[in-house]
Amino acid sequence: MSPLRKISWVALCTRLFGWPFLALSFCVSAAESPGALTIIVKDQYTDRPLSDVQIILKERETASSQTIESNEQGRIVIEQLDPGLYSLNLSKDGFASLYEPSVRVVTRKNIKLEFELKQQAIEVVVVRGQQANALASSTYLDREALRGSVGGGADPLLSLDGLPGLASASEFASFSVRGRGPRDNLIFVDDFPFDKAVHFDATLGEEEDVGGGGRFSIFAPNVISGADFSPGGWGPAYGGRAASLLKLEVADGNPSPSASFRYDLAGYELGYDGPAGLSKDATMLLSARRLDFGALFETIEELDIGEPVLRDVIVKSVIPINQQHTFEILLMDTHEDYTRGVTHVFASPNFEDAALQDSEQDSDLYGLTLRSLIGEQAVWNNKVYYRKSDKLSSEGEAFPDQVPAGSPASSFPVRENIITIGEKETEFGWRSDFETRNQWGMFSAGVRVTQVALDYTTVLDGDWNRFVYDEDDFRPDPEQRFIVLTPENINSSVHQKETNYAGYIDQIFEFADWDFTSGFRVERDGFADESFVSPRFSVNWQPSKSVRYFATAGLFHQSPRYLELAANEENDLKTEKITHSSIGFKYFPTNDWSVLTEAYYQSLDRLVVDLDRASGTFANIGDGSSYGVDIVVNGTIFEGLYASATYSYNDAVVDRNDGRGDVAAEFSREHVATVGLTWEINDNWKLAGRYKYLSGRPDDEFIIHEDVLGQGQPLRYSKEIIERNVGRKSGSGLLNVRIDYRRAFGAIDLTAFLDVINVTAASSSDDSEFDYRRGVIVKDDSEAEPLIGLRLDYAW
């Protein structure tokens, strides 16, 4: 099964009840020292501070409130606040009012909150979680929403579950959007491109593992201050992938210093958040964590999975130079390794997984940002960065059926490192963005220059029989019921350095309650060896405060994956072309409720499809389409009780031009629906639940052949796929429940949560593998998955 598959609920519960400290914490009470808030308010377009903003701060527990105004620097510090939950209302003439329903004050800590107000002719109230790009169905999740999301556990990317068009099928951080795959998503961290945001994105292994898109994000739960997600239709500033755009913001340090220690069943995290000591207002955030799932699996006696270990270090410092210039430093250092040896094969039920695997990856990002305010209206951002990744993966095989039953693992014949793939990447980049208000509205322009060097190698150590294949994969004898990978067909190496260029302009034309946006992106992709222009358009009409209509259109290009380029030296791949259009509206029946509906259509051209497993060849011969509708309902039932519901319909088809016509896209799901409730019971307790239904992914038609190696050879079965992506696997429904507890004990602030994914242990037919020793399809067992965490904060 998957090397990081589901683990035992019973064993984890046993482990949980061994936490005497946590159990004691629930029974102890102590007086809490006051905290503080530092509120900064800026103009959303010009990034200038806004003075005289009226701020109403209301305490949830006592219903008491106070009104203050921001000063000339757009700043206000509110001290001597009782720890607990508060709400904020921000208003200023000529701007849309902003409402933040849930802000937590923490004992002895001064927490910085930044808000952006948008100039608005119509008087509207915007909930902070809805303040992202108003031209499409984008969604903004703040720090509190990310770290407290049901099903999110300790991973910010898991907290995206329930966003429009997004489908996440398991307890892992990878996700697909509108029928596209997990690797088609465009991810930025502090506006630096970083596609290595998920650990254990397998290069080798079973189809489920290789296609899954990774397991756990590189971010600890308190590191990300905000996530801006768009399922399509974004502007020309972004390109390279076309499924969705996810912009993650690493949190700044707070004005007051604090240290944290977080522990869960797999490991620990250390953190610092506060002044950097470099200048008066300079701040720093430091997060370092290590998770050893191998030790956890051994403790709970899940001995066949393997030993995955990860480490992440993230440092961010914000250094104001003066009122016009701010300097930022971002450092990310991540490491992972995974080992699965013969002892893990020995523990596998019926030896159904006999793979020997070893992988290791180091991935780093070092980025510098200079943010400058130019004149009265303009903002100029310059970013330089260096990114590197070094990954080495190998796979071998054990043969437990070649020794007598009951033999120890040490006696199993093994063939180690049959195939080894090295993936080295280095990237230097410069990104420059300029935006200013003009007589028509808002103008923005920018350039991107990147130099990427690849050093990819694939080495096969002798012929290797593989027992899952497509009927049109190469076999020297058509009657042969398996394929053989050979060094002459598989071995390859790519050593290539290319410089990519991109530039864009974008203009928003504002006319009363109408906004029109027109722009284009000009790009040179060195690896695809082509240049192209990508126009983007959008329109936004808000005739009243209760409804907004929008439409988007544009051309998007998706660069070929480096691994597909390197799989065979003959692979000459171009960019995929996606023509996108959408139309929708957002309706506000009251200030507490909103309903968003967006319909979209995408034309897919020059899709990269695999031609032959036996030689690793790919080509741009696919085409297809994707259309559907997303509906999102968000609201407040009463203060502290929030509801959400989403529904997404998608019909995505692909024609591989192999004579079989249109078939369902590999990651498409016709229906995805969620219903969620979050109840902040009081200052200490929060309860949340979400039910999710997902249609099954496309299925394959196949034939299982017996004794394919012939007389005198070990018994082997093979799975010949005769048609891909026909029919559907059965759908599944999952219920997730989360409980959060928070309380101060003297100088220590304690946060604990229990987040249970798939409470009812509902089964899913998506994950299955072929056991070629027994000739059976092995389905992954479904169990409830508890994610447990304990965090201690100390502020001074």
Side-chain angles (χ1 to χ4, degrees):
M1 307 304 291
S2 167
L4 299 177
R5 61 175 171 80
K6 299 177 175 65
I7 54 182
S8 169
W9 157 258
V10 175
L12 278 174
C13 282
T14 302
R15 177 76 167 172
L16 170 63
F17 294 135
W19 283 15
F21 177 75
L22 180 58
L24 176 64
S25 300
F26 287 123
C27 305
V28 179
S29 178
E32 301 187 42
S33 302
L37 294 176
T38 296
I39 300 172
I40 301 173
V41 191
K42 297 180 180 180
D43 186 306
Q44 182 176 339
Y45 284 144
T46 67
D47 205 40
R48 267 55 174 190
L50 289 177
S51 61
D52 302 322
V53 176
Q54 187 181 74
I55 303 169
I56 301 175
L57 178 68
K58 179 182 177 182
E59 186 175 6
R60 176 82 56 82
E61 190 170 82
T62 65
S64 62
S65 64
Q66 55 178 301
T67 303
I68 56 270
E69 288 189 350
S70 60
N71 61 18
E72 293 183 356
Q73 287 75 43
R75 178 187 294 259
I76 185 70
V77 179
I78 312 172
E79 300 179 314
Q80 296 300 310
L81 295 174
D82 292 333
L85 295 172
Y86 292 75
S87 64
L88 282 170
N89 278 282
L90 294 84
S91 60
K92 181 179 175 65
D93 289 342
F95 291 82
S97 298
L98 189 62
Y99 176 62
E100 172 54 76
S102 183
V103 173
R104 180 173 289 278
V105 173
V106 178
T107 181
R108 302 179 63 178
K109 193 171 185 178
N110 186 348
I111 296 175
K112 182 176 69 174
L113 299 173
E114 293 191 9
F115 298 94
E116 296 180 345
L117 299 187
K118 179 184 178 182
Q119 296 186 30
Q120 187 85 31
I122 300 172
E123 293 184 4
V124 297
V125 178
V126 179
V127 179
R128 192 185 188 196
Q130 303 167 355
Q131 73 175 113
N133 177 16
L135 299 179
S137 59
S138 60
T139 304
Y140 179 82
L141 298 177
D142 62 19
R143 197 175 194 175
E144 190 66 31
L146 288 170
R147 64 189 171 192
S149 174
V150 60
D155 198 320
L157 294 191
L158 274 171
S159 300
L160 303 177
D161 194 18
L163 295 183
L166 184 146
S168 175
S170 68
E171 77 275 26
F172 297 131
S174 59
F175 58 90
S176 58
V177 179
R178 291 179 172 177
R180 303 282 285 172
R183 297 190 182 95
D184 298 328
N185 300 308
L186 187 60
I187 300 177
F188 284 80
V189 181
D190 275 5
D191 230 24
F192 295 107
F194 195 71
D195 65 348
K196 309 296 183 184
V198 183
H199 281 296
F200 305 115
D201 185 358
T203 300
L204 294 169
E206 300 295 334
E207 291 185 59
E208 171 201 342
D209 307 324
V210 175
R215 300 309 191 200
F216 312 101
S217 86
I218 65 171
F219 305 106
N222 208 44
V223 168
I224 300 300
S225 65
D228 189 353
F229 171 81
S230 175
W234 55 86
Y238 299 96
R241 289 286 179 266
S244 72
L245 171 64
L246 177 62
K247 296 188 291 183
L248 302 171
E249 305 166 9
V250 177
D252 299 348
N254 283 302
S256 64
S258 65
S260 64
F261 173 76
R262 182 181 177 278
Y263 175 79
D264 65 24
L265 298 179
Y268 60 88
E269 171 206 349
L270 299 172
Y272 170 79
D273 174 10
L278 302 175
S279 63
K280 177 183 176 182
D281 297 319
T283 62
M284 181 174 71
L285 179 138
L286 167 65
S287 173
R289 70 170 179 172
R290 184 180 187 275
L291 303 180
D292 186 345
F293 294 96
L296 169 63
F297 296 158
E298 183 176 349
T299 300
I300 63 176
E301 298 182 351
E302 294 283 349
L303 303 178
D304 64 321
I305 300 177
E307 300 176 10
V309 180
L310 64 86
R311 169 189 53 76
D312 302 303
V313 178
I314 298 176
V315 179
K316 181 178 180 179
S317 183
V318 179
I319 308 169
I321 301 173
N322 51 43
Q323 291 185 350
Q324 284 73 42
H325 304 285
T326 302
F327 189 63
E328 296 183 6
I329 301 172
L330 178 65
L331 308 175
M332 299 197 307
D333 183 311
T334 75
H335 174 82
E336 67 183 54
D337 59 69
Y338 171 70
T339 302
R340 188 173 193 273
V342 68
T343 57
H344 305 106
V345 174
F346 180 80
S348 177
N350 298 309
F351 305 125
E352 61 193 24
D353 187 353
L356 307 174
Q357 292 183 316
D358 193 0
S359 67
E360 184 174 3
Q361 175 170 309
D362 289 288
S363 187
D364 304 322
L365 173 67
Y366 312 114
L368 304 176
T369 299
L370 178 62
R371 186 172 183 82
S372 303
L373 305 181
I374 309 297
E376 298 295 326
Q377 301 283 337
V379 182
W380 188 18
N381 284 308
N382 282 280
K383 295 176 176 287
V384 293
Y385 67 93
Y386 170 70
R387 180 186 67 82
K388 67 174 182 178
S389 176
D390 188 354
K391 182 177 182 180
L392 187 67
S393 308
S394 65
E395 183 176 358
E397 188 175 358
F399 303 93
D401 57 339
Q402 295 184 13
V403 295
S407 297
S410 58
S411 67
F412 289 2
V414 297
R415 186 181 173 192
E416 297 180 317
N417 303 325
I418 302 175
I419 187 169
T420 303
I421 297 180
E423 307 166 57
K424 292 183 179 180
E425 305 172 16
T426 59
E427 178 178 350
F428 291 92
W430 170 52
R431 301 171 63 83
S432 183
D433 298 272
F434 178 82
E435 58 181 5
T436 184
R437 293 199 66 83
N438 56 24
Q439 58 184 323
W440 300 291
M442 196 73 187
F443 172 80
S444 59
V447 296
R448 285 90 171 87
V449 180
T450 60
Q451 186 181 76
V452 181
L454 302 182
D455 185 2
Y456 276 47
T457 58
T458 300
V459 177
L460 183 66
D461 182 22
D463 293 355
W464 193 20
N465 296 336
R466 305 305 286 154
F467 300 100
V468 177
Y469 63 98
D470 289 296
E471 65 174 355
D472 56 357
D473 285 339
F474 173 77
R475 288 161 287 155
D477 179 359
E479 297 302 316
Q480 180 177 296
R481 299 306 184 187
F482 59 96
I483 60 174
V484 181
L485 306 186
T486 63
E488 54 267 29
N489 288 331
I490 294 297
N491 287 359
S492 66
S493 63
V494 171
H495 309 284
Q496 188 175 356
K497 180 186 292 185
E498 298 290 348
T499 303
N500 301 327
Y501 307 91
Y504 74 92
I505 61 172
D506 203 30
Q507 174 68 53
I508 301 177
F509 299 92
E510 299 175 350
F511 302 99
D513 49 6
W514 288 85
D515 292 337
F516 299 91
T517 304
S518 177
F520 63 88
R521 180 183 181 91
V522 180
E523 195 162 358
R524 169 68 183 176
D525 190 317
F527 290 99
D529 192 22
E530 62 178 334
S531 302
F532 42 84
V533 178
S534 304
R536 313 280 171 85
F537 305 96
S538 63
V539 60
N540 184 53
W541 178 38
Q542 185 155 355
S544 70
K545 66 178 183 180
S546 62
V547 67
R548 173 174 62 87
Y549 302 95
F550 58 86
T552 65
L555 178 62
F556 296 79
H557 289 80
Q558 178 156 306
S559 301
R561 289 187 63 211
Y562 297 145
L563 198 60
E564 292 170 350
L565 284 170
N568 190 301
E569 296 173 8
E570 301 299 319
N571 290 339
D572 181 17
L573 302 179
K574 304 300 182 182
T575 60
E576 299 179 340
K577 293 175 59 178
I578 295 90
T579 305
H580 169 92
S581 59
S582 69
I583 187 170
F585 67 88
K586 193 166 190 177
Y587 175 58
F588 303 88
T590 70
N591 288 338
D592 295 329
W593 287 86
S594 67
V595 180
L596 179 142
T597 301
E598 183 180 28
Y600 61 89
Y601 179 83
Q602 296 176 348
S603 177
L604 314 175
D605 298 298
R606 299 201 307 187
L607 298 179
V608 175
V609 300
D610 62 303
L611 301 180
D612 183 13
R613 299 172 191 244
S615 59
T617 51
F618 295 82
N620 292 91
I621 61 172
D623 56 64
S625 65
S626 177
Y627 66 88
V629 63
D630 298 322
I631 301 173
V632 181
V633 179
N634 286 306
T636 301
I637 299 175
F638 56 78
E639 189 175 50
L641 182 61
Y642 312 107
S644 66
T646 65
Y647 171 72
S648 296
Y649 171 79
N650 174 257
D651 187 338
V653 296
V654 173
D655 185 351
R656 297 165 52 87
N657 284 298
D658 55 2
R660 297 171 180 170
D662 289 344
V663 297
E666 182 178 357
F667 290 93
S668 68
R669 297 181 186 273
E670 289 186 327
H671 308 283
V672 177
T674 69
V675 178
L677 283 174
T678 300
W679 183 19
E680 295 172 336
I681 302 171
N682 54 39
D683 289 345
N684 303 115
W685 290 94
K686 182 169 74 172
L687 177 65
R690 177 183 290 122
Y691 177 79
K692 174 172 59 177
Y693 172 79
L694 302 101
S695 293
R697 284 174 49 187
D699 207 351
D700 297 331
E701 288 190 4
F702 55 87
I703 300 172
I704 294 179
H705 301 286
E706 183 180 3
D707 198 15
V708 297
L709 294 182
Q711 188 175 1
Q713 298 295 320
L715 177 63
R716 293 291 183 266
Y717 298 80
S718 69
K719 175 183 173 182
E720 179 182 6
I721 300 173
I722 57 176
E723 284 197 70
R724 286 194 195 182
N725 299 351
V726 292
R728 291 275 176 179
K729 299 176 182 179
S730 60
S732 59
L734 293 85
L735 176 64
N736 302 334
V737 175
R738 177 176 175 128
I739 302 173
D740 287 82
Y741 176 79
R742 188 164 192 162
R743 182 178 290 276
F745 301 94
I748 302 296
D749 189 78
L750 177 143
T751 305
F753 71 83
L754 171 62
D755 198 350
V756 185
I757 298 176
N758 195 12
V759 172
T760 60
S763 62
S764 170
S765 62
D766 281 339
D767 299 333
S768 62
E769 294 173 6
F770 177 64
D771 182 351
Y772 53 85
R773 286 176 171 79
R774 295 184 295 149
V776 297
I777 303 296
V778 181
K779 294 185 177 181
D780 203 348
D781 294 331
S782 295
E783 293 181 331
E785 294 300 320
L787 305 173
I788 306 162
L790 173 68
R791 178 186 173 94
L792 304 175
D793 286 88
Y794 175 75
W796 63 93

